[in-house]
Amino acid sequence: MNSSSLYQFSTWTVILLMVAFYGGTYLLTLGIRKKKEDADAFMVSNHRVGFGIGAASMTATWIWAASFYAAATSGYTYGVSGPIHYGLWGALMILFIYPFGRRFRKLAPNAHTLGELIHARHGSSSQLILALSNLLGSIISLMVNFTAAGALVSVLSPLSFQAGVIIAGVGVLLYTLWSGFRASVLTDFAQLVALMAIAVVIIPAVFFSMGGPTELVAGLDNLTPEQADFFSMDAILNQGAPFFVAVLAYAIGNQTISQRLFAVNEDHIKPTFLTATVGYGAIVIGLGMIGLMALTLGIEPLNGDMNNLIPQMVSSYLPPVFIAAFFILVIGSLSSTADSDLSALSAIMMADVYGKNIARGKADPRRMLLVGRLTMIVATMIGIVFASFSLDILVMLVFVGALWGAIVFPVIASCFWSRVSNAAFTTSVLVAMVAFCAARFEWLPMTGITGLGFELLASIGGGIIIALMVFGFLGRVAGALAGLVAFVAMLIFATGFLREYTVLLASLTAYGTSTLVCVAMSLASRERFDFDCIAERVGNYDAAEAAPVADEHPRKPAPAGLATQR
């Protein structure tokens, strides 16, 4: 299929569609603007987001550009099981933060970032490691969403890829800059309503325009045996397993999730996360089916770029009105995540970098707001520049998810085990990151005793992942037993061939290495921590300014950043 067969809007039509979308979104946020915005509302809406808004925001945030492009790429690359591998494991990323999220909120009910909790638990070095990993992840996410906007605009109009990237970046910044997280949550709700309404029409329309179930079944003969196999080992080892490994990494490492965790009313955490899990999985698996249909029909991605597959399919098979609706659908989905990334980045810089390290607990809320807004501007510029490289979305997602695996066990253990020290946390993460890079980029030959050693670390990592997941829902005993069974199974079935699957090996190695180092150093430490101290050390930044003076001769107020510290 070549570009001459694709429908394209005129330049002015696309510009008007984007101006209408971003202009309307901006007008929507005017209703919540305050003359004097406060830092806590800017970061987490004062911890008072309700169930409906919270679930909608979580769902819209995770139904992002990658949900369209990477889900379709998965279906196109791995066949019948591809959409399941992408959609199901992506949904579990939301679900598995819930049991640990309850613990995080209990320890630090007034936190704005997970980094603040780690700062209160360990200090600056551990907190900054978590903050830097979040900054990296959010920048990559921002880049991915702007890349998707550029691909969409370049396929559906005469405008260039770079023009689409710039318009999307400026548009998202426009409506997020003033009210921060509050604007992100409000627009997420409206964007999700529109997204679901359009998706219910668009996905079946593309499916039946391409021939429907009959054409899909007939086209299965064009698939390779691996692509036609629902239990394809190629799909499991190259996509399903790496994404499954990334579930906890994204849940713990992604600030857009933890920010909503700390923003939602504590009583509504469970229904919020369960609803978002179901909503995300259902929509994304449906989107992945478009890629599978393209595979069965033998369609080649435009210019060999997998990012063009979804726009190409819609442009080829739907009438102009549906194409315009699809255009708004994708722009809305990527914008809902991009504004969440900007809010997450601003919260990290405001609370983790400025509040806890530069101001050292004596943060000025007004200066925090300035830091947050400047962060959004700089992050948008960086995201636009990086997006111009047009990197492969699926590869970037797997890489950052695997890298986050190094922090999962140290973070969770720090919130449940009093013996974990700052040195154990920091050292385990750094060593695990080196081990991950050594496996991922093959700094060492994965043969002989070296390959066997990495497979042993990976087997430990596999056991730890299962143990943590079961522990979150069923407790320590069940988690330990499940982890032990998984470890033994990995030793039996993975030894000798896992080294051939570099991404999966590296991801599991990060988990296994960080766990071994963290446990060994913690057992050697005599340190014990009182978890009750965390709530006292993490508080709201505007509370001191808002607190009324009770006595006749007012005392000098405490610094704003120390409102709840004693």
Side-chain angles (χ1 to χ4, degrees), residues 488-533:
V488 172
M490 288 283 293
L491 284 179
I492 295 173
F493 297 106
T495 303
F497 88 97
L498 188 59
R499 65 193 69 177
E500 298 175 11
Y501 298 89
T502 306
V503 174
L504 180 57
L505 176 69
S507 304
L508 291 171
T509 296
Y511 278 92
T513 304
S514 64
T515 300
L516 278 181
V517 176
C518 186
V519 169
M521 293 186 66
S522 298
L523 290 174
S525 172
R526 296 182 178 180
E527 180 178 317
R528 299 291 185 275
F529 184 78
D530 180 6
F531 287 107
D532 292 337
C533 296

Side-chain angles (χ1 to χ4, degrees), residues 40 44 46-47 109-112 538-544 559-564:
D40 295 309
V44 289
N46 301 111
H47 316 283
N110 293 318
H112 310 83
V538 181
N540 291 320
Y541 290 93
D542 295 282
L562 297 176
T564 63

Side-chain angles (χ1 to χ4, degrees), residues 40 47 104-105 107-121 127 262 351-352 356 529 531-541 560-566:
D40 295 309
H47 316 283
F104 299 157
R105 278 296 292 268
L107 292 176
N110 293 318
H112 310 83
T113 68
L114 187 55
E116 285 185 305
L117 189 159
I118 296 300
H119 183 277
R121 175 68 173 85
Q127 179 218 19
F262 290 119
D352 293 345
K356 296 299 182 184
F529 184 78
F531 287 107
D532 292 337
C533 296
I534 294 178
E536 298 179 0
R537 295 175 182 176
V538 181
N540 291 320
Y541 290 93
L562 297 176
T564 63
Q565 297 186 27
R566 295 176 178 85

Side-chain angles (χ1 to χ4, degrees), residues 2 12 37 43 70 80 119 124 140 149 199 217 219 238 247 255 265 298 334 359 424 463 496 509 521 557 559:
N2 53 50
W12 283 109
E37 190 72 60
M43 289 189 282
V80 295
H119 183 277
S124 294
I140 290 177
V217 173
N238 285 299
V247 164
Q255 168 64 13
N265 186 307
L334 67 87
T509 296
M521 293 186 66

Side-chain angles (χ1 to χ4, degrees), residues 423-474:
F425 186 106
T426 304
T427 305
S428 63
V429 172
L430 294 178
V431 172
M433 289 176 67
V434 172
F436 164 78
C437 291
R440 181 66 180 86
F441 303 112
E442 298 186 37
W443 292 348
L444 298 172
M446 294 298 154
T447 58
I449 191 67
T450 303
L452 188 62
F454 275 93
E455 287 175 338
L456 176 60
L457 288 172
S459 296
I460 296 172
I464 289 301
I465 291 171
I466 298 301
L468 289 175
M469 289 180 172
V470 175
F471 161 67
F473 288 98
L474 301 178

Side-chain angles (χ1 to χ4, degrees), residues 78-361:
Y78 298 109
V80 295
S81 65
I84 302 296
H85 283 308
Y86 189 89
L88 179 60
W89 306 136
L92 288 180
M93 291 178 193
I94 304 173
L95 178 64
F96 277 100
I97 188 60
Y98 158 66
F100 302 111
R102 293 286 298 270
R103 176 66 174 173
F104 299 157
R105 278 296 292 268
K106 181 179 179 180
L107 292 176
N110 293 318
H112 310 83
T113 68
L114 187 55
E116 285 185 305
L117 189 159
I118 296 300
H119 183 277
R121 175 68 173 85
H122 289 305
S124 294
S125 60
S126 297
Q127 179 218 19
L128 289 177
I129 285 177
L130 183 60
L132 289 174
S133 70
N134 273 309
L135 287 172
L136 174 64
S138 291
I139 287 292
I140 290 177
S141 175
L142 203 61
M143 178 201 72
V144 166
N145 284 288
F146 292 162
T147 297
L152 181 71
V153 169
S154 64
V155 170
L156 296 184
S157 80
L159 288 172
S160 67
F161 173 86
Q162 288 75 14
V165 169
I166 292 172
I167 295 173
V170 173
V172 171
L173 179 64
L174 178 71
Y175 72 80
T176 312
L177 185 63
W178 186 262
S179 300
F181 181 76
R182 293 169 59 245
S184 174
V185 171
L186 176 65
T187 55
D188 280 348
F189 182 80
Q191 288 162 354
L192 180 66
V193 171
L195 186 151
M196 293 183 69
I198 297 173
V200 167
V201 176
I202 291 292
I203 296 175
V206 173
F207 185 69
F208 285 103
S209 294
M210 295 172 70
T214 303
E215 194 69 26
L216 176 63
V217 173
L220 292 177
D221 293 335
N222 298 326
L223 275 59
T224 66
E226 282 289 334
Q227 290 173 332
D229 184 3
F230 188 79
F231 299 100
S232 164
M233 289 303 295
D234 181 51
I236 292 172
L237 292 172
N238 285 299
Q239 165 115 28
F243 265 58
F244 180 77
V245 169
V247 164
L248 278 178
Y250 268 90
I252 300 300
N254 197 302
Q255 168 64 13
T256 61
I257 290 184
S258 56
Q259 192 169 20
R260 280 155 182 76
L261 169 68
F262 290 119
V264 171
N265 186 307
E266 194 165 0
D267 295 335
H268 298 153
I269 291 177
K270 182 177 181 178
T272 295
F273 281 77
L274 290 177
T275 302
T277 298
V278 175
Y280 174 91
I283 294 176
V284 171
I285 290 173
L287 291 168
M289 294 300 294
I290 297 177
L292 176 60
M293 283 293 292
L295 176 65
T296 60
L297 294 180
I299 296 172
E300 294 292 331
L302 184 66
N303 300 324
D305 187 352
M306 296 297 293
N307 294 341
N308 290 332
L309 188 60
I310 283 277
Q312 176 184 350
M313 298 299 293
V314 172
S315 176
S316 301
Y317 287 95
L318 294 183
V321 174
F322 278 25
I323 298 174
F326 168 78
F327 186 89
I328 296 299
L329 174 68
V330 179
I331 292 297
S333 68
L334 67 87
S335 297
S336 67
T337 306
D339 63 41
S340 298
D341 288 321
L342 289 180
S343 299
L345 286 164
S346 64
I348 292 169
M349 292 300 295
M350 291 167 71
D352 293 345
V353 178
Y354 170 73
K356 296 299 182 184
N357 290 281
I358 297 177
R360 296 189 179 278

